[in-house]
Amino acid sequence: MIPPQEASARRREIEDKLKQEEETLSFIRDNLEKSDQLTKNMVSILSSFESRLMKLENSIIPVHKQTENLQRLQENVEKTLSCLDHVISYYHVASDTEKIIREGPTGRLEEYLGSMAKIQKAVEYFQDNSPDSPELNKVKLLFERGKESLESEFRSLMTRHSKVVSPVLILDLISGDDELEVQEEVVLEHLPESALQDVVRISHWLVEYGRNHDFMNVYYQIRSSQLDRSIKGLKEHFRKSSSSSGVPYSPAIPNKRKDTPTKKPVKRPGHEHDFRVKHLSEALNDKHGPLAGRDDMLDVETDAYIHCVSAFVKLAQSEYQLLTDIIPEHHQKKTFDSLIQDALDGLMLEGENIVSAARKAIIRHDFSTVLTVFPILRHLKQTKPEFDQVLQGTAASTKNKLPGLITSMETIGAKALEDFADNIKNDPDKEYNMPKDGTVHELTSNAILFLQQLLDFQETAGAMLASQVLGDTYNIPLDPRETSSSATSYNSEFSKRLLSTYICKVLGNLQLNLLSKSKVYEDPALSAIFLHNNYNYILKSLEKSELIQLVAVTQKTAERSYREHIEQQIQTYQRSWLKVTDYITEKNLPVFQSGVKLRDKERQMIKERFKGFNDGLEELCKIQKAWAVPDTEQRDRIRQIQKKIVKETYGAFLQRYNNVPFTKNPEKYVKYQVDQVGDMIDRLFDTSA
């Protein structure tokens, strides 16, 4: 059992805790009541606020909708007024822009184009909204007048500012200046920058709004005329320069005249072009001799044509660059094709005239004129890649003009080569033009000079022969590797063999003709000297040039063959002295015993031997002194050989009869000592002796 005191204390403790819990519970109830009251108050406030919001919404929404409608109406009114102003403005376009259109675009292109834009819009408006209105006719007429003024301004700008390119500038353009350390590219300025901008603006407007391409015809006609005149001016410059100084000169780039139409040069490594043509005058004369002044004129014409071809390429390139800024892309090629036609046709016509002149020259055997085709043809072939690039996109007829001219020149060149070879073989001039001294015949020198001239045009001449399939004529076996590389070109080795065979043919024809001509001489010795001189001249000429290497391509033994011919003719010549030495050779001398008195018959025989030798020696020396052996080395060699033979024979003869009393007047028969005979032979082939 729990003691009473502890139970009493435990009870009080429980009662105290219970009291505290009751107090806490009472506090919580009070707070809950207060919270409920606050909640009721808040609900009441919110309900009142909601009611007021609903009333406000019911009042504001109609006002908002009405305001929104008013704003929309205001906007519609403003748009309507704006449209009315815009429409009304179209009715004033004609009056506002008429003065500007009437005065034209010169000096104020931007303002003028702005007015044209307004007129264009007015035309479009009336066409869409009032096609029957008189205002449409007004703005249409004004637009057409404005378009005509723009076309007229385009023509005027092109005419005023398009200038012929000076020959000096063209020469700088195609040749450059070798003295400059850094070569500068010459850039042509066909139109001033301000004029170019106006032309471009007008052309773009005419294409976009004018719906008229007539200005393109105007453009190509004006530029075509300038291009043609520039090239003709260069040709005339060559003629005037050749008549005054003989050499067309292009000054250095920094020294150009102030009016030279160029832009500032752009420094960059330049492309050097060598357009100098080797003078043909001394190599092109035909057998009738040079015609005074003709060859120099041929050189000038050849130089001029070659430069004009190069000038056309450069100027055409420049014209195309200018054209791309002005003409619409899809019309550029056609316009360019039309633009270059006059200048190109002029070049092609001149080229055909050269071919025609060469054809006539072949008929009269004037091969000097024909050879002018060679440098021109070579240059045309060298320039053809640039030509093809410039003419990209042009009509096929335009592209085919240069290949057609090249074909014509190759054909006439091949014809000239063949006729020249035949002319060498069949030259009939045997009696009236034969050198009396047996020197080199003019036919030989002309033939060699012609062949030497071909050395400068080996590829060109070889291609001429190859283009005519002359391999069949010369019986040259064709290697498939030499002809399969291209349908239009030949392997250089094949062309070289063709040219070698041709040269050998000419030399063979020449040799046959010389043999025929040599028979004109009654004296076999002079005939031998004539052949010797000509063979020696041919051999020396071959050796001094590359001809010998070219001949050796198909004739390995040509050099040896000529040397054998030369030796053979020397031996033939030496036989002319037999009638002199035969008098004093031992086999023809009388036999006698020493100390035995000679009989009259023996003395007479010895006298005849001396007299025959003396007369023969004097006669030969007199005749052969007038003959010629131009080659000093050969002349000395022939003299020495003959002098040795005669001196030895004559020396032995003198020694044999020096102390023989065959005459009372020995000085009458022993007219010459051995050294004197040698001196006389040393004066052979020397008209001054």
Side-chain angles (χ1 to χ4, degrees), residues 278-287 289-291 294-296 298-299 365-372 374 420 424 442-457 537 547:
K278 183 177 180 180
H279 288 290
L280 310 176
S281 56
E282 64 181 20
L284 302 186
N285 296 328
D286 60 12
K287 64 176 182 175
L291 298 178
R294 184 190 64 175
D295 293 322
D296 290 339
L298 285 176
D299 287 344
H365 303 300
D366 175 15
F367 296 98
S368 61
T369 302
V370 178
L371 271 178
T372 60
F374 284 72
F420 179 79
I424 292 296
E442 193 171 9
L443 179 68
T444 302
S445 59
N446 285 338
I448 293 299
L449 287 171
F450 183 91
L451 296 180
Q452 287 176 337
Q453 190 63 34
L454 290 184
L455 286 176
D456 293 332
F457 309 102
Y537 178 82
L547 281 173

Side-chain angles (χ1 to χ4, degrees), residues 117 131 173 381 449 479 562 573 611 630 674 688:
L173 181 68
K381 285 188 169 185
L449 287 171
D479 187 334
Y562 273 110
Y573 162 76
K611 186 177 186 304
V674 175
S688 64

Side-chain angles (χ1 to χ4, degrees), residues 607-625:
K607 290 177 183 179
E608 290 176 356
R609 295 291 183 267
F610 270 105
K611 186 177 186 304
F613 173 79
N614 293 335
D615 292 346
L617 176 66
E618 291 169 357
E619 181 184 2
L620 280 185
C621 287
K622 180 181 178 180
I623 293 173
Q624 295 185 9
K625 184 174 67 173

Side-chain angles (χ1 to χ4, degrees), residues 114 274 534 544 573 678:
D274 182 10
N534 282 271
K544 287 179 181 178
Y573 162 76

Side-chain angles (χ1 to χ4, degrees), residues 253-402:
I253 292 175
N255 297 329
K256 291 187 179 69
R257 295 191 298 271
K258 293 181 180 180
D259 60 349
T260 302
T262 59
K263 291 183 178 179
K264 186 177 180 181
V266 180
K267 290 187 176 181
R268 73 175 193 181
H271 300 283
E272 297 182 2
H273 297 275
D274 182 10
F275 297 105
R276 292 170 296 178
V277 180
K278 183 177 180 180
H279 288 290
L280 310 176
S281 56
E282 64 181 20
L284 302 186
N285 296 328
D286 60 12
K287 64 176 182 175
H288 301 293
L291 298 178
R294 184 190 64 175
D295 293 322
D296 290 339
M297 183 56 66
L298 285 176
D299 287 344
V300 172
E301 293 296 329
T302 301
D303 279 344
Y305 187 73
I306 287 174
H307 280 76
C308 286
V309 169
S310 297
F312 172 81
V313 173
K314 294 297 182 183
L315 293 176
Q317 289 173 342
S318 182
E319 287 291 347
Y320 190 77
Q321 292 174 357
L322 176 67
L323 177 143
T324 54
D325 293 330
I326 299 173
I327 304 300
E329 184 176 0
H330 54 287
H331 291 282
Q332 289 174 1
K333 294 296 184 181
K334 183 178 179 181
T335 304
F336 179 71
D337 196 346
S338 301
L339 188 156
I340 63 173
Q341 284 303 315
D342 286 347
L344 182 59
D345 286 344
L347 284 178
M348 296 301 107
L349 177 60
E350 190 172 350
E352 289 298 339
N353 289 339
I354 292 171
V355 172
S356 179
R359 188 175 291 110
K360 294 176 182 177
I362 291 173
I363 295 174
R364 63 178 185 269
H365 303 300
D366 175 15
F367 296 98
S368 61
T369 302
V370 178
L371 271 178
T372 60
V373 171
F374 284 72
I376 293 173
L377 177 58
R378 179 175 65 182
H379 186 67
L380 289 179
K381 285 188 169 185
Q382 291 172 344
T383 314
K384 187 176 181 298
E386 289 184 272
F387 246 99
D388 293 341
Q389 185 176 7
V390 169
L391 300 182
Q392 279 184 351
T394 57
S397 58
T398 302
K399 293 178 182 177
N400 292 334
K401 287 181 179 180
L402 180 64

Side-chain angles (χ1 to χ4, degrees), residues 405-416:
L405 178 59
I406 289 175
T407 300
S408 296
M409 287 193 170
E410 284 188 332
T411 302
I412 200 65
K415 171 68 173 171

